[in-house]
Amino acid sequence: TVILPEAELKIFLTASPETRAQRRFEEVTGRGEERDHADILANLYERDRIDSSRAVAPLRPAPDAIVLDTTDLSVDQVLDRIQALVG
């Protein structure tokens, strides 16, 4: 909405906070870091609150964006859906 407001195709990726926290938990523990899942989830909720309520460029889909909920999708499935949209 800010960087390419006239883009022909706008895709807004989303997933449930719980899924995003699990993905982040797996990412950081896969690197050998120790993080608490509950802390990651709390951090995501706080970051979402801040990002969606900021005065400049709040995080939200453009009115003409396609919202793609990735909660129950694998990376390959997300890529397939995006490729189908680009078509």
Side-chain angles (χ1 to χ4, degrees):
T1 57
V2 174
I3 297 181
L4 295 170
E6 303 302 321
E8 198 172 304
L9 175 64
K10 297 177 187 136
I11 303 170
F12 186 86
L13 298 177
T14 188
S16 72
E18 293 78 12
T19 297
R20 291 169 42 227
Q22 183 62 35
R23 289 172 179 166
R24 177 67 52 85
F25 179 77
E26 291 171 6
E27 177 187 348
V28 297
T29 57
R31 292 192 307 246
E33 297 176 31
E34 289 192 27
R35 294 275 308 273
D36 183 67
H37 186 276
D39 287 343
I40 291 171
L41 181 59
N43 178 269
L44 283 174
Y45 274 114
E46 178 63 8
R47 190 175 74 197
D48 285 352
R49 184 191 67 74
I50 291 167
D51 289 349
S52 63
S53 62
R54 63 185 174 226
V56 176
L59 181 63
R60 62 178 62 118
D64 57 341
I66 296 168
V67 177
L68 179 54
D69 186 342
T70 68
T71 299
D72 297 316
L73 301 176
S74 68
V75 172
D76 287 337
Q77 290 171 318
V78 172
L79 290 174
D80 287 345
R81 302 261 173 109
I82 291 171
Q83 286 175 335
L85 292 168
V86 171

Coordinates of all heavy atoms in Angstrom, one line a residue:
T1 N 0.8 -1.2 0.0 CA 0.0 0.0 0.0 C 0.9 1.3 0.0 O 0.4 2.3 -0.5 CB -0.9 0.0 1.2 OG1 -0.2 0.0 2.4 CG2 -2.0 -1.1 1.2
V2 N 2.1 1.2 0.5 CA 2.9 2.3 0.6 C 4.0 2.3 -0.5 O 4.2 3.2 -1.2 CB 3.6 2.5 2.0 CG1 4.6 3.6 2.0 CG2 2.5 2.7 3.0
I3 N 4.7 1.2 -0.6 CA 5.8 1.1 -1.5 C 5.4 0.9 -3.0 O 5.9 1.6 -3.9 CB 6.8 -0.1 -1.1 CG1 7.3 0.2 0.3 CG2 7.9 -0.3 -2.1 CD1 8.2 -0.7 0.9
L4 N 4.4 0.1 -3.2 CA 3.9 -0.1 -4.6 C 2.4 0.0 -4.6 O 1.7 -1.0 -4.9 CB 4.3 -1.5 -5.1 CG 5.8 -1.7 -5.3 CD1 6.1 -3.2 -5.6 CD2 6.3 -0.9 -6.4
P5 N 1.9 1.2 -4.4 CA 0.4 1.3 -4.2 C -0.3 1.0 -5.5 O -1.5 0.7 -5.5 CB 0.2 2.8 -3.8 CG 1.5 3.5 -4.3 CD 2.6 2.4 -4.2
E6 N 0.3 1.1 -6.7 CA -0.3 0.8 -7.9 C 0.0 -0.6 -8.5 O -0.3 -0.9 -9.6 CB 0.1 1.8 -9.0 CG -0.2 3.3 -8.6 CD -1.7 3.5 -8.3 OE1 -2.6 3.0 -9.0 OE2 -2.0 4.3 -7.3
A7 N 0.5 -1.5 -7.6 CA 0.8 -2.8 -8.0 C -0.4 -3.5 -8.6 O -1.5 -3.4 -8.1 CB 1.4 -3.6 -6.9
E8 N -0.2 -4.3 -9.7 CA -1.3 -5.0 -10.3 C -1.8 -6.1 -9.4 O -3.0 -6.3 -9.5 CB -0.7 -5.6 -11.6 CG -1.8 -6.0 -12.6 CD -1.1 -6.4 -13.9 OE1 -0.3 -5.6 -14.5 OE2 -1.4 -7.5 -14.4
L9 N -1.0 -6.7 -8.7 CA -1.4 -7.8 -7.8 C -0.9 -7.5 -6.4 O 0.3 -7.3 -6.2 CB -0.9 -9.1 -8.3 CG -1.2 -10.3 -7.4 CD1 -2.7 -10.6 -7.3 CD2 -0.5 -11.6 -7.9
K10 N -1.8 -7.5 -5.4 CA -1.4 -7.3 -4.0 C -1.8 -8.5 -3.2 O -3.0 -8.9 -3.3 CB -2.0 -6.0 -3.4 CG -1.6 -4.8 -4.2 CD -2.3 -3.6 -3.6 CE -1.9 -2.4 -4.4 NZ -3.1 -1.5 -4.8
I11 N -0.9 -9.1 -2.5 CA -1.2 -10.3 -1.7 C -0.8 -10.0 -0.3 O 0.3 -9.6 0.0 CB -0.5 -11.5 -2.2 CG1 -0.8 -11.8 -3.7 CG2 -0.8 -12.8 -1.3 CD1 0.0 -12.9 -4.4
F12 N -1.7 -10.2 0.6 CA -1.5 -10.0 2.1 C -1.5 -11.3 2.7 O -2.5 -12.0 2.8 CB -2.6 -9.1 2.7 CG -2.3 -8.7 4.1 CD1 -1.6 -7.5 4.4 CD2 -2.9 -9.4 5.1 CE1 -1.3 -7.2 5.7 CE2 -2.6 -9.0 6.4 CZ -1.9 -7.9 6.7
L13 N -0.3 -11.7 3.2 CA -0.1 -13.0 3.8 C -0.4 -12.9 5.3 O 0.0 -12.0 6.0 CB 1.3 -13.6 3.7 CG 1.8 -13.8 2.3 CD1 3.3 -14.3 2.3 CD2 0.9 -14.9 1.6
T14 N -1.2 -13.9 5.8 CA -1.6 -13.9 7.2 C -1.6 -15.3 7.7 O -1.6 -16.2 6.9 CB -2.9 -13.2 7.4 OG1 -3.1 -13.0 8.8 CG2 -4.1 -13.9 6.8
A15 N -1.6 -15.4 9.0 CA -1.7 -16.7 9.7 C -2.1 -16.4 11.1 O -1.9 -15.3 11.6 CB -0.4 -17.5 9.6
S16 N -2.7 -17.4 11.7 CA -3.1 -17.2 13.1 C -1.9 -16.9 14.0 O -0.8 -17.4 13.7 CB -3.8 -18.4 13.7 OG -2.9 -19.5 13.9
P17 N -2.0 -16.1 15.0 CA -0.9 -15.9 15.9 C -0.3 -17.2 16.5 O 1.0 -17.3 16.6 CB -1.4 -15.0 17.0 CG -2.6 -14.4 16.4 CD -3.2 -15.4 15.4
E18 N -1.1 -18.1 16.8 CA -0.6 -19.4 17.3 C 0.3 -20.1 16.3 O 1.4 -20.6 16.6 CB -1.7 -20.3 17.7 CG -2.5 -19.7 18.9 CD -3.5 -18.6 18.6 OE1 -3.8 -18.4 17.4 OE2 -4.0 -18.0 19.5
T19 N -0.1 -20.1 15.0 CA 0.7 -20.8 14.0 C 1.9 -20.0 13.8 O 3.0 -20.6 13.6 CB -0.2 -20.8 12.7 OG1 -1.3 -21.7 12.9 CG2 0.7 -21.4 11.5
R20 N 1.9 -18.7 13.7 CA 3.1 -17.9 13.5 C 4.1 -18.1 14.7 O 5.3 -18.2 14.4 CB 2.7 -16.4 13.4 CG 2.0 -16.2 12.1 CD 1.3 -14.8 11.9 NE 2.2 -13.7 12.4 CZ 1.7 -12.8 13.2 NH1 0.5 -12.7 13.6 NH2 2.6 -11.8 13.6
A21 N 3.5 -18.2 15.9 CA 4.4 -18.4 17.0 C 5.1 -19.8 17.0 O 6.3 -19.9 17.2 CB 3.6 -18.3 18.3
Q22 N 4.3 -20.8 16.5 CA 4.9 -22.1 16.4 C 6.0 -22.1 15.3 O 7.0 -22.7 15.5 CB 3.8 -23.1 16.1 CG 4.3 -24.6 16.0 CD 4.9 -25.1 17.3 OE1 4.5 -24.7 18.4 NE2 5.9 -25.9 17.2
R23 N 5.7 -21.5 14.2 CA 6.7 -21.4 13.1 C 8.0 -20.7 13.6 O 9.1 -21.1 13.3 CB 6.1 -20.7 11.9 CG 5.1 -21.5 11.2 CD 4.4 -20.6 10.1 NE 3.4 -21.4 9.4 CZ 2.5 -20.9 8.6 NH1 2.4 -19.6 8.4 NH2 1.6 -21.7 8.0
R24 N 7.8 -19.6 14.4 CA 9.0 -18.9 14.9 C 9.7 -19.7 15.9 O 10.9 -19.8 15.9 CB 8.5 -17.6 15.5 CG 9.6 -16.7 16.2 CD 10.6 -16.2 15.2 NE 10.0 -15.5 14.1 CZ 9.6 -14.2 14.1 NH1 9.9 -13.5 15.2 NH2 9.1 -13.7 13.1
F25 N 9.0 -20.4 16.8 CA 9.6 -21.3 17.8 C 10.4 -22.4 17.1 O 11.6 -22.6 17.5 CB 8.5 -21.9 18.6 CG 9.0 -22.9 19.7 CD1 9.6 -22.4 20.8 CD2 8.9 -24.3 19.5 CE1 10.1 -23.3 21.8 CE2 9.4 -25.1 20.4 CZ 9.9 -24.6 21.6
E26 N 9.9 -23.0 16.1 CA 10.6 -24.0 15.3 C 11.9 -23.4 14.6 O 12.9 -24.1 14.6 CB 9.7 -24.7 14.3 CG 8.7 -25.6 15.0 CD 7.6 -26.1 14.0 OE1 7.7 -25.9 12.8 OE2 6.6 -26.7 14.5
E27 N 11.7 -22.2 14.1 CA 12.9 -21.5 13.5 C 14.0 -21.3 14.5 O 15.2 -21.6 14.2 CB 12.4 -20.2 12.9 CG 13.5 -19.4 12.2 CD 13.0 -18.0 11.8 OE1 11.8 -17.8 11.8 OE2 13.9 -17.2 11.5
V28 N 13.7 -20.7 15.6 CA 14.7 -20.4 16.6 C 15.3 -21.6 17.3 O 16.5 -21.7 17.5 CB 14.3 -19.3 17.6 CG1 13.9 -18.0 17.0 CG2 13.2 -19.8 18.5
T29 N 14.5 -22.6 17.6 CA 15.0 -23.8 18.2 C 15.8 -24.6 17.2 O 16.8 -25.3 17.6 CB 13.9 -24.6 18.8 OG1 13.0 -25.0 17.8 CG2 13.3 -23.9 20.0
G30 N 15.5 -24.5 15.9 CA 16.3 -25.1 14.9 C 17.7 -24.5 14.7 O 18.6 -25.2 14.2
R31 N 17.8 -23.3 15.2 CA 19.1 -22.7 15.2 C 19.9 -22.9 16.5 O 21.0 -22.4 16.7 CB 19.0 -21.1 15.0 CG 18.5 -20.7 13.6 CD 18.7 -19.2 13.4 NE 18.1 -18.4 14.4 CZ 17.0 -17.6 14.3 NH1 16.4 -17.6 13.1 NH2 16.5 -16.9 15.3
G32 N 19.2 -23.7 17.4 CA 19.9 -24.0 18.6 C 19.6 -23.0 19.7 O 20.2 -23.1 20.8
E33 N 18.7 -22.0 19.5 CA 18.4 -21.0 20.5 C 17.3 -21.6 21.4 O 16.5 -22.3 21.0 CB 17.9 -19.7 19.8 CG 18.9 -19.0 19.0 CD 18.3 -17.8 18.3 OE1 17.4 -17.2 18.8 OE2 18.7 -17.5 17.1
E34 N 17.4 -21.2 22.6 CA 16.3 -21.5 23.6 C 15.4 -20.4 23.8 O 15.8 -19.3 24.3 CB 17.0 -22.0 24.9 CG 17.7 -23.3 24.8 CD 18.1 -23.9 26.2 OE1 17.4 -23.6 27.2 OE2 19.1 -24.6 26.2
R35 N 14.2 -20.6 23.4 CA 13.1 -19.5 23.6 C 11.9 -20.2 24.1 O 11.6 -21.3 23.8 CB 12.8 -18.8 22.3 CG 13.9 -18.0 21.6 CD 14.0 -16.6 22.1 NE 12.8 -15.9 22.1 CZ 12.3 -15.2 21.0 NH1 13.0 -15.2 19.9 NH2 11.2 -14.5 21.1
D36 N 11.1 -19.5 24.9 CA 9.9 -20.0 25.4 C 8.8 -19.7 24.4 O 8.6 -18.5 24.0 CB 9.6 -19.3 26.8 CG 8.3 -19.8 27.4 OD1 8.3 -21.0 27.8 OD2 7.4 -19.0 27.5
H37 N 8.0 -20.7 24.1 CA 6.9 -20.6 23.1 C 5.9 -19.5 23.6 O 5.5 -18.7 22.8 CB 6.2 -21.9 22.9 CG 5.2 -21.9 21.9 ND1 3.9 -21.5 22.1 CD2 5.2 -22.3 20.6 CE1 3.2 -21.6 21.0 NE2 4.0 -22.1 20.0
A38 N 5.6 -19.5 24.8 CA 4.6 -18.5 25.3 C 5.1 -17.1 25.2 O 4.4 -16.2 24.9 CB 4.3 -18.8 26.8
D39 N 6.4 -16.9 25.4 CA 7.0 -15.6 25.2 C 7.0 -15.1 23.7 O 6.7 -14.0 23.4 CB 8.5 -15.5 25.7 CG 8.6 -15.6 27.2 OD1 7.6 -15.3 27.9 OD2 9.7 -15.9 27.7
I40 N 7.2 -16.1 22.8 CA 7.2 -15.8 21.4 C 5.7 -15.4 21.0 O 5.5 -14.4 20.3 CB 7.6 -17.0 20.6 CG1 9.1 -17.2 20.8 CG2 7.3 -16.8 19.1 CD1 9.7 -18.5 20.2
L41 N 4.8 -16.1 21.5 CA 3.4 -15.8 21.2 C 3.0 -14.4 21.8 O 2.4 -13.6 21.1 CB 2.4 -16.9 21.8 CG 1.0 -16.7 21.5 CD1 0.6 -16.7 20.0 CD2 0.2 -17.8 22.2
A42 N 3.4 -14.1 23.0 CA 3.1 -12.8 23.6 C 3.7 -11.7 22.8 O 3.1 -10.6 22.5 CB 3.5 -12.8 25.0
N43 N 5.0 -11.9 22.3 CA 5.7 -10.9 21.5 C 5.0 -10.7 20.2 O 4.9 -9.6 19.7 CB 7.1 -11.4 21.3 CG 7.9 -10.4 20.4 OD1 7.9 -10.6 19.2 ND2 8.5 -9.5 21.1
L44 N 4.4 -11.7 19.6 CA 3.7 -11.6 18.3 C 2.4 -10.8 18.5 O 2.1 -9.9 17.7 CB 3.4 -13.0 17.7 CG 4.5 -13.7 17.0 CD1 4.1 -15.1 16.6 CD2 5.0 -12.9 15.8
Y45 N 1.7 -11.1 19.6 CA 0.5 -10.3 19.8 C 0.8 -8.8 20.0 O 0.1 -7.9 19.5 CB -0.2 -10.8 21.1 CG -1.2 -12.0 20.8 CD1 -0.9 -13.2 21.3 CD2 -2.3 -11.8 20.0 CE1 -1.8 -14.3 21.0 CE2 -3.2 -12.8 19.7 CZ -2.9 -14.1 20.3 OH -3.8 -15.1 20.0
E46 N 1.9 -8.5 20.8 CA 2.3 -7.1 21.0 C 2.8 -6.5 19.7 O 2.4 -5.3 19.4 CB 3.4 -7.1 22.1 CG 3.9 -5.7 22.4 CD 2.8 -4.7 22.9 OE1 1.7 -5.1 23.3 OE2 3.1 -3.5 23.0
R47 N 3.6 -7.2 19.0 CA 4.0 -6.6 17.7 C 2.9 -6.3 16.7 O 2.8 -5.3 16.1 CB 5.1 -7.5 17.1 CG 5.8 -6.8 15.9 CD 6.9 -7.7 15.3 NE 6.3 -8.8 14.6 CZ 6.9 -9.9 14.2 NH1 8.2 -10.0 14.5 NH2 6.3 -10.8 13.5
D48 N 1.9 -7.2 16.7 CA 0.8 -7.0 15.8 C 0.0 -5.8 16.3 O -0.5 -5.0 15.4 CB -0.2 -8.3 15.8 CG 0.4 -9.4 15.0 OD1 1.4 -9.3 14.3 OD2 -0.2 -10.5 15.1
R49 N -0.2 -5.7 17.6 CA -0.9 -4.5 18.1 C -0.2 -3.2 17.7 O -0.8 -2.3 17.2 CB -1.0 -4.6 19.6 CG -1.8 -3.5 20.2 CD -1.7 -3.4 21.7 NE -0.4 -3.0 22.2 CZ 0.1 -1.8 22.1 NH1 -0.6 -0.8 21.6 NH2 1.4 -1.5 22.5
I50 N 1.1 -3.2 17.9 CA 1.9 -2.0 17.5 C 1.8 -1.7 16.0 O 1.5 -0.6 15.6 CB 3.3 -2.1 18.0 CG1 3.4 -2.1 19.5 CG2 4.2 -1.0 17.4 CD1 4.7 -2.5 20.1
D51 N 2.1 -2.8 15.2 CA 2.1 -2.6 13.8 C 0.8 -2.2 13.2 O 0.7 -1.4 12.2 CB 2.6 -3.9 13.1 CG 4.1 -4.2 13.3 OD1 4.8 -3.3 13.8 OD2 4.5 -5.3 13.0
S52 N -0.3 -2.7 13.7 CA -1.6 -2.4 13.1 C -2.2 -1.1 13.6 O -3.1 -0.5 13.0 CB -2.6 -3.5 13.4 OG -2.8 -3.6 14.8
S53 N -1.6 -0.5 14.6 CA -2.1 0.8 15.1 C -1.2 2.0 14.9 O -1.5 3.1 15.3 CB -2.5 0.6 16.6 OG -1.3 0.3 17.4
R54 N -0.1 1.8 14.3 CA 0.8 2.9 14.0 C 0.2 3.9 13.1 O -0.6 3.6 12.2 CB 2.2 2.4 13.5 CG 2.2 1.7 12.2 CD 3.6 1.2 11.8 NE 3.5 0.4 10.6 CZ 4.0 -0.8 10.4 NH1 4.7 -1.3 11.4 NH2 3.8 -1.4 9.3
A55 N 0.6 5.2 13.2 CA 0.0 6.2 12.5 C 0.4 6.2 11.0 O -0.4 6.5 10.1 CB 0.4 7.6 13.1
V56 N 1.7 5.8 10.7 CA 2.2 5.8 9.4 C 2.3 4.3 8.9 O 2.9 3.5 9.5 CB 3.6 6.5 9.3 CG1 4.2 6.3 7.9 CG2 3.5 7.9 9.7
A57 N 1.6 4.1 7.8 CA 1.6 2.8 7.1 C 1.3 1.6 8.1 O 2.0 0.7 8.3 CB 3.0 2.5 6.5
P58 N 0.1 1.7 8.7 CA -0.3 0.6 9.6 C -0.4 -0.7 8.8 O -0.7 -0.7 7.7 CB -1.6 1.0 10.2 CG -2.2 2.0 9.2 CD -1.0 2.7 8.6
L59 N -0.1 -1.8 9.5 CA -0.1 -3.1 8.9 C -1.5 -3.6 8.7 O -2.2 -3.9 9.7 CB 0.7 -4.1 9.8 CG 0.8 -5.5 9.2 CD1 1.5 -5.5 7.9 CD2 1.4 -6.5 10.2
R60 N -2.0 -3.5 7.5 CA -3.3 -4.0 7.1 C -3.3 -4.2 5.6 O -2.6 -3.5 4.9 CB -4.4 -3.1 7.6 CG -4.4 -1.7 7.0 CD -5.5 -0.8 7.5 NE -5.5 -0.7 8.9 CZ -5.3 0.5 9.5 NH1 -5.3 1.6 8.8 NH2 -5.3 0.6 10.8
P61 N -4.2 -5.1 5.1 CA -4.2 -5.3 3.7 C -4.8 -4.1 3.0 O -5.7 -3.4 3.5 CB -5.2 -6.5 3.5 CG -5.9 -6.6 4.8 CD -5.1 -5.9 5.9
A62 N -4.3 -3.9 1.8 CA -4.9 -2.8 0.9 C -6.3 -3.3 0.6 O -6.6 -4.4 0.5 CB -4.0 -2.7 -0.4
P63 N -7.2 -2.3 0.3 CA -8.6 -2.6 -0.1 C -8.7 -3.6 -1.2 O -9.6 -4.4 -1.3 CB -9.2 -1.3 -0.4 CG -8.3 -0.3 0.3 CD -6.9 -0.9 0.3
D64 N -7.7 -3.5 -2.2 CA -7.8 -4.4 -3.3 C -6.8 -5.6 -3.2 O -6.6 -6.3 -4.2 CB -7.5 -3.6 -4.6 CG -6.1 -2.9 -4.6 OD1 -5.6 -2.7 -3.5 OD2 -5.6 -2.6 -5.7
A65 N -6.3 -5.9 -2.0 CA -5.4 -7.0 -1.8 C -6.2 -8.3 -1.7 O -7.3 -8.4 -1.2 CB -4.5 -6.8 -0.6
I66 N -5.5 -9.4 -2.1 CA -6.0 -10.7 -1.9 C -5.4 -11.2 -0.6 O -4.2 -11.2 -0.4 CB -5.6 -11.7 -3.0 CG1 -6.3 -11.2 -4.3 CG2 -6.0 -13.1 -2.7 CD1 -5.8 -11.9 -5.6
V67 N -6.2 -11.6 0.4 CA -5.8 -12.0 1.7 C -5.6 -13.5 1.6 O -6.5 -14.3 1.3 CB -6.7 -11.6 2.8 CG1 -6.2 -12.2 4.1 CG2 -6.9 -10.1 2.9
L68 N -4.4 -14.0 1.9 CA -4.0 -15.4 1.8 C -3.7 -15.9 3.2 O -2.7 -15.5 3.7 CB -2.9 -15.6 0.8 CG -2.4 -17.1 0.7 CD1 -3.5 -18.0 0.3 CD2 -1.3 -17.2 -0.3
D69 N -4.6 -16.6 3.8 CA -4.4 -17.2 5.1 C -3.6 -18.4 5.0 O -4.0 -19.4 4.4 CB -5.7 -17.5 5.8 CG -5.6 -17.9 7.2 OD1 -4.5 -18.3 7.7 OD2 -6.6 -17.9 8.0
T70 N -2.4 -18.4 5.6 CA -1.4 -19.5 5.4 C -1.4 -20.4 6.7 O -0.6 -21.3 6.8 CB 0.0 -19.0 5.2 OG1 0.5 -18.3 6.4 CG2 0.1 -18.0 4.0
T71 N -2.4 -20.2 7.6 CA -2.4 -21.0 8.8 C -2.2 -22.5 8.6 O -1.4 -23.1 9.3 CB -3.7 -20.7 9.6 OG1 -3.7 -19.3 9.9 CG2 -3.8 -21.5 10.9
D72 N -3.0 -23.0 7.7 CA -3.0 -24.5 7.5 C -2.2 -24.9 6.2 O -2.5 -26.0 5.7 CB -4.4 -25.0 7.4 CG -5.1 -24.8 8.7 OD1 -4.5 -25.0 9.8 OD2 -6.3 -24.3 8.7
L73 N -1.3 -24.0 5.7 CA -0.6 -24.3 4.5 C 0.9 -24.5 4.7 O 1.5 -23.8 5.5 CB -0.8 -23.2 3.5 CG -2.3 -22.8 3.1 CD1 -2.3 -21.6 2.1 CD2 -2.9 -24.0 2.4
S74 N 1.5 -25.3 3.9 CA 2.9 -25.5 3.9 C 3.5 -24.4 3.1 O 2.8 -23.7 2.3 CB 3.3 -26.8 3.4 OG 3.1 -26.9 2.0
V75 N 4.8 -24.2 3.1 CA 5.5 -23.2 2.3 C 5.2 -23.5 0.8 O 4.9 -22.6 0.0 CB 7.0 -23.2 2.6 CG1 7.7 -22.3 1.6 CG2 7.3 -22.7 4.0
D76 N 5.3 -24.8 0.4 CA 5.1 -25.1 -1.0 C 3.6 -24.8 -1.4 O 3.4 -24.4 -2.5 CB 5.4 -26.6 -1.2 CG 6.8 -26.9 -1.2 OD1 7.7 -26.0 -1.5 OD2 7.2 -28.1 -1.0
Q77 N 2.7 -25.0 -0.5 CA 1.3 -24.7 -0.8 C 1.1 -23.2 -1.0 O 0.4 -22.8 -1.8 CB 0.4 -25.3 0.3 CG 0.3 -26.8 0.3 CD -0.5 -27.3 1.5 OE1 -0.3 -26.8 2.6 NE2 -1.3 -28.3 1.2
V78 N 1.8 -22.4 -0.1 CA 1.7 -21.0 -0.2 C 2.2 -20.5 -1.6 O 1.6 -19.7 -2.3 CB 2.4 -20.3 0.9 CG1 2.5 -18.8 0.7 CG2 1.7 -20.6 2.3
L79 N 3.4 -21.1 -1.9 CA 4.0 -20.7 -3.2 C 3.1 -21.1 -4.4 O 3.0 -20.4 -5.4 CB 5.4 -21.4 -3.4 CG 6.5 -20.8 -2.5 CD1 7.7 -21.7 -2.6 CD2 6.7 -19.4 -2.8
D80 N 2.5 -22.3 -4.3 CA 1.6 -22.7 -5.4 C 0.4 -21.7 -5.5 O 0.0 -21.4 -6.6 CB 1.0 -24.1 -5.1 CG 2.1 -25.2 -5.3 OD1 3.1 -24.9 -5.9 OD2 1.8 -26.3 -4.8
R81 N -0.2 -21.3 -4.4 CA -1.3 -20.4 -4.4 C -0.9 -19.0 -5.0 O -1.6 -18.5 -5.8 CB -1.9 -20.2 -3.0 CG -2.3 -21.4 -2.3 CD -3.8 -21.6 -2.4 NE -4.2 -22.9 -1.9 CZ -4.9 -23.1 -0.8 NH1 -5.2 -22.1 0.0 NH2 -5.2 -24.3 -0.4
I82 N 0.3 -18.6 -4.6 CA 0.8 -17.3 -5.2 C 1.0 -17.4 -6.7 O 0.7 -16.5 -7.5 CB 2.0 -16.8 -4.4 CG1 1.6 -16.4 -3.0 CG2 2.7 -15.6 -5.1 CD1 2.8 -16.1 -2.1
Q83 N 1.7 -18.5 -7.1 CA 1.9 -18.7 -8.5 C 0.6 -18.8 -9.3 O 0.5 -18.3 -10.4 CB 2.8 -20.0 -8.7 CG 4.2 -19.8 -8.3 CD 5.0 -21.1 -8.4 OE1 4.5 -22.2 -8.3 NE2 6.3 -20.9 -8.6
A84 N -0.4 -19.4 -8.7 CA -1.7 -19.4 -9.4 C -2.3 -18.0 -9.6 O -2.9 -17.7 -10.6 CB -2.6 -20.4 -8.6
L85 N -2.1 -17.2 -8.6 CA -2.6 -15.8 -8.6 C -1.9 -15.0 -9.7 O -2.4 -14.2 -10.4 CB -2.5 -15.2 -7.3 CG -3.5 -15.7 -6.2 CD1 -3.1 -15.2 -4.8 CD2 -4.9 -15.4 -6.5
V86 N -0.5 -15.2 -9.8 CA 0.3 -14.5 -10.7 C -0.1 -15.0 -12.1 O -0.1 -14.2 -13.1 CB 1.8 -14.7 -10.4 CG1 2.6 -14.1 -11.5 CG2 2.1 -14.1 -9.1
G87 N -0.3 -16.3 -12.2 CA -0.8 -17.0 -13.4 C -0.3 -16.5 -14.7 O -0.5 -16.5 -15.8

